[in-house]
Amino acid sequence: MSRHHALKHRVVTTFQRRVGNPILSRLPFQTLLETTGRTSGLPRRTPVGGRRVGNAFWFVSEFGDRSQYVRNIRADPRVRVRINGSWHTGTAHPLPEDDARARLKGLPRYNSAAVRALGTDLLTVRVDLTG
């Protein structure tokens, strides 16, 4: 990873963790991804932007496997997603073979623009919703 990407990752994730995520998580209709902390075993909620298509919810992680929630998914793929205020259970699947930049074109515009602008290692994630 280049020094520029490392600095960008550190700045963006620090802002998200301390400012953005706490504010967005409180908004009643913000889409949230809930994973299980791989070390703590506690629920971890992260605001995400994506789209439900049938029984799947699609989103793109801007930092790929460096995102804490992707690391949590790799340890335990059972997740919950809050979509339009309702919680749904499912199984998350990171899809490195998917073209994440192309995928963003079909996802909510403003979030996709932010992910493209801030992201360094884009990774598509599909959650197969079961409940």
Side-chain angles (χ1 to χ4, degrees):
M1 175 186 345
S2 74
R3 288 168 64 129
H4 172 74
H5 282 176
L7 176 62
K8 188 176 191 181
H9 176 258
R10 192 167 50 251
V11 169
V12 171
T13 57
T14 299
F15 176 81
Q16 287 173 334
R17 188 173 21 251
R18 297 203 174 137
V19 180
N21 290 358
I23 292 169
L24 290 174
S25 294
R26 290 184 176 89
L27 299 176
F29 286 97
Q30 169 64 47
T31 302
L32 295 177
L33 173 71
E34 183 180 86
T35 61
T36 300
R38 63 193 177 283
T39 303
S40 69
L42 298 173
R44 300 294 184 203
R45 292 182 177 173
T46 305
V48 295
R51 175 164 284 135
R52 183 176 183 165
V53 179
N55 286 329
F57 180 79
W58 294 85
F59 67 98
V60 174
S61 165
E62 66 255 73
F63 297 115
D65 285 317
R66 289 184 300 141
S67 294
Q68 296 301 317
Y69 63 84
V70 172
R71 291 178 181 184
N72 290 343
I73 287 169
R74 295 230 188 253
D76 182 355
R78 294 170 299 171
V79 300
R80 292 191 326 147
V81 182
R82 187 177 77 181
I83 305 168
N84 295 324
S86 296
W87 285 100
H88 305 272
T89 58
T91 304
H93 305 277
L95 302 171
E97 68 280 359
D98 191 69
D99 183 343
R101 289 201 176 275
R103 179 71 56 192
L104 284 170
K105 292 177 183 174
L107 299 179
R109 182 177 5 171
Y110 297 115
N111 181 76
S112 293
V115 169
R116 271 193 300 277
L118 301 174
T120 57
D121 299 304
L122 304 183
L123 174 67
T124 300
V125 179
R126 183 189 75 230
V127 178
D128 294 330
L129 302 172
T130 55

